[in-house]
Amino acid sequence: MATISITLPIYNEAATISTLYERLNGAAEQISHEMEFVFVDDGSTDATYTKLAELSANDPRIKIVRLSRNFGHQAACTAGLRNSDGDAVVLMDGDLQDPPEVIPELVEAWERGYRVVLARRKSRYEEGLRGWAMSAFYKAFEWLSDVPLPHEVGIFSLMDKTAAQEVAALPERHRYIPGLRWWVGFNVGEVWYDRERRFAGAPKQTLRRLIRYALDAIFGYSYKPLRLAMILGLIVSTASFAYGTILLLLRILGINVVAGFTTQAVAILFLGGLNLTFIGILGEYIARTYDEVKHRPLYVVSEIVKGGNRTVDAR
Ligand code: UDP
Ligand code: MG
């Protein structure tokens, strides 16, 4: 019999844990494989860890990977993947926005032979600006990146053991798991679902973090910003060369042109702005290169709890 791991990053979700566990159990009952639940406690400061520890004392299927501080969603997901032992790993958010009821469908698609199964959102519940920003991101990503990623797909997915370990093993620090998952390949299936409202509390990924995540996705999978900068630079230089030629001709022909202040001021400000923007774009790539060459690990594990027992045998 195969084993399925369900792997969830958790950060300050104490109010959600018991319902989450109930609904995960409900899903597990419909699956005829052994189950493993891997909860990654991403440095929670509320009762999350205590609640998880209580559950794990009575349920040997539970493994808690406790990180030494808050490392962020993508690092927590990676820690979860590395510490999952299943033949297939289901990765999902722990705030119940990804409904556990979809898991049996993912597993079924895997049984039919797909090695990666994406859960795609038919609809989403997101408050105000957040929802708008998320759809805007998917559009921008599609236009900017060279990666044919499907719309409205996040981390919620099933990966077989090999795919999951390959994704987890990719060394980059600025991680965009949907992109990494695309990169490792394999035959990919899809299951559609309605993304739910958060069960309790406010989103733990602040808008600022989401923006950083979006920039990681764009700069991590595309050189188009650089290319666009270069093209715009070429257009501007061609235009100024043409303008210069015209001025020179007028001068030679003796036509008296006194250039006004406006033209100069506009030209200087425009080119200055363009330069700063492009240096900024360069900076985004350089900062990322610097972060990558530091080769710091993505996270630090403080302990692993399995069946109520503590170990430090982390990966
Ligand atoms: N999360 C995490 N570390 C963080 C932020 C979030 O492990 O630093 C978890 C969070 O508990 C939740 C999941 O990642 O289970 C998704 O987070 P959230 O709902 O805040 O993000 P969104 O749904 O807006 O992408
Ligand atoms: Mg959420």
Side-chain angles (χ1 to χ4, degrees):
M1 199 161 52
T3 306
I4 311 281
S5 300
I6 302 181
T7 302
L8 314 99
I10 311 273
Y11 177 51
N12 289 348
E13 306 282 7
T16 309
I17 302 282
S18 47
T19 311
L20 174 65
Y21 179 62
E22 253 167 52
R23 285 177 60 182
L24 287 175
N25 262 324
E29 272 165 26
Q30 293 177 38
I31 298 168
S32 56
H33 297 287
E34 279 196 39
M35 302 298 291
E36 175 189 51
F37 300 133
V38 180
F39 294 99
V40 181
D41 176 11
D42 186 15
S44 297
T45 49
D46 64 356
T48 296
Y49 177 74
T50 328
K51 297 217 161 174
L52 289 174
E54 271 167 24
L55 292 177
S56 102
N58 300 311
D59 187 343
R61 298 171 301 173
I62 294 182
K63 188 191 236 182
I64 309 169
V65 180
R66 193 180 192 188
L67 304 187
S68 62
R69 66 168 170 84
N70 179 243
F71 283 92
H73 182 235
Q74 297 287 302
C77 288
T78 307
L81 291 177
R82 287 192 189 155
N83 289 284
S84 297
D85 294 313
D87 300 292
V89 183
V90 174
L91 185 62
M92 62 193 289
D93 282 350
D95 60 352
L96 285 174
Q97 282 201 285
D98 299 338
E101 291 70 26
V102 181
I103 300 172
E105 291 176 52
L106 294 174
V107 173
E108 198 185 296
W110 171 67
E111 286 166 339
R112 275 186 278 132
Y114 291 110
R115 298 188 62 179
V116 174
V117 189
L118 309 178
R120 260 183 103 164
R121 298 165 195 147
K122 273 189 284 198
S123 62
R124 61 156 74 243
Y125 276 106
E126 230 52 73
E127 310 293 331
L129 189 61
R130 221 176 153 75
W132 179 84
M134 285 178 177
S135 331
F137 160 71
Y138 282 105
K139 293 214 180 76
F141 185 80
E142 184 171 53
W143 186 68
L144 279 172
S145 84
D146 312 318
V147 177
L149 278 185
H151 266 272
E152 299 296 335
V153 171
I155 63 154
F156 193 14
S157 56
L158 176 148
M159 289 173 260
D160 79 354
K161 193 179 198 134
T162 316
Q165 292 319 317
E166 291 294 340
V167 167
L170 289 173
E172 51 246 76
R173 291 188 42 77
H174 290 273
R175 298 177 89 71
Y176 178 58
I177 288 179
L180 301 179
R181 193 181 46 206
W182 164 81
W183 188 88
V184 301
F186 298 109
N187 55 338
V188 180
E190 273 178 10
V191 162
W192 290 84
Y193 78 104
D194 291 304
R195 188 151 166 93
E196 292 184 11
R197 240 177 247 279
R198 219 170 201 288
F199 179 74
K204 304 302 180 301
Q205 301 242 75
T206 55
L207 203 55
R208 217 179 81 214
R209 275 200 184 179
L210 278 184
I211 291 170
R212 206 195 302 157
Y213 185 43
L215 291 178
D216 279 348
I218 288 166
F219 290 114
Y221 291 88
S222 171
Y223 297 121
K224 222 182 232 171
L226 287 176
R227 233 172 285 145
L228 289 175
M230 196 174 74
I231 290 168
L232 200 57
L234 279 175
I235 293 174
V236 171
S237 357
T238 315
S240 14
F241 186 74
Y243 185 51
T245 316
I246 293 171
L247 288 184
L248 193 69
L249 279 179
L250 290 176
R251 193 66 185 254
I252 292 169
L253 296 175
I255 300 169
N256 195 15
V257 274
V258 181
F261 167 75
T262 326
T263 325
Q264 286 196 28
V266 168
I268 289 169
L269 290 176
F270 176 67
L271 290 177
L274 216 59
N275 271 324
L276 287 179
T277 312
F278 295 170
I279 291 171
I281 292 176
L282 277 181
E284 288 289 336
Y285 286 100
I286 292 171
R288 280 173 171 73
T289 311
Y290 181 49
D291 269 350
E292 299 297 347
V293 298
K294 281 194 263 190
H295 286 302
R296 273 189 207 148
L298 286 166
Y299 55 84
V300 175
V301 176
S302 78
E303 61 183 12
I304 301 266
V305 180
K306 178 116 212 239
N309 299 314
R310 286 189 167 70
T311 60
V312 279
D313 178 27
R315 281 159 241 169

